Amino acid sequence: MPHVELSISDPRSSLTAESTLDRWGDTVADAAEPSLVIDEQSVVVAVSASLEDLLGLTEPAVDRPLLEGVLQLLDFADGGALDAAEVAKTPPLLALKSGRLARGLVRVRCVSGPRTFDAIAAPLIQDDQIVGSLTFFSAV
């Protein structure tokens, strides 16, 4: 009689935070949708070509802090720079802080002028720790 042995393991247990971010980063780098991945320090891990085009980035965004020249957030009221308290509430950063899905409108300085995006962010979790966030942007 044949003998069959099954083993069930948690596939996440053999992954590291780096490999999780690398996998999501590879996905976003090849994605047609405007999207980005940041790590727990809000440094850009990957950005899609379509988001780079929308933002008009002239320098590579990878390995740069999200808020230092990559995503220039603007206040809806006066078009000036967004204050720190409001910046923390933007979806990519809120998903990092809260560990939950975050969604909201963000106003961003782009090469073609200010644009509004609907941003949806999900935390990236590895071994019960938040290691980054994945955000999709849709022009409004």
Side-chain angles (χ1 to χ4, degrees):
M1 172 177 248
H3 176 76
V4 177
E5 186 173 318
L6 296 175
S7 173
I8 300 175
S9 62
D10 183 355
R12 298 172 293 172
S13 64
S14 64
L15 302 176
T16 65
E18 182 178 50
S19 68
T20 297
L21 289 174
D22 286 344
R23 279 196 329 275
W24 280 108
D26 290 344
T27 301
V28 164
D30 294 334
E33 299 82 9
S35 51
L36 65 81
V37 172
I38 58 173
D39 68 13
E40 71 278 358
Q41 301 299 316
S42 74
V43 172
V44 176
V45 173
V47 62
S48 68
S50 58
L51 184 59
E52 284 180 325
D53 290 343
L54 282 172
L55 298 176
L57 298 179
T58 57
E59 296 179 26
V62 175
D63 294 328
R64 291 174 47 200
L66 178 65
L67 301 175
E68 292 181 21
V70 178
L71 202 62
Q72 298 177 40
L73 300 168
L74 302 173
D75 191 306
F76 279 96
D78 63 11
L82 201 58
D83 69 54
E86 293 300 315
V87 167
K89 297 176 188 176
T90 59
L93 300 176
L94 186 56
L96 279 178
K97 183 179 178 182
S98 69
R100 307 183 93 168
L101 289 174
R103 182 176 189 178
L105 294 177
V106 292
R107 188 92 169 138
V108 179
R109 179 174 290 121
C110 299
V111 71
S112 60
R115 295 194 66 177
T116 301
F117 295 96
D118 182 12
I120 301 173
L124 300 176
I125 300 171
Q126 178 65 48
D127 297 327
D128 297 324
Q129 298 293 316
I130 298 169
V131 296
S133 72
L134 165 65
T135 306
F136 291 95
F137 297 85
S138 178
V140 176

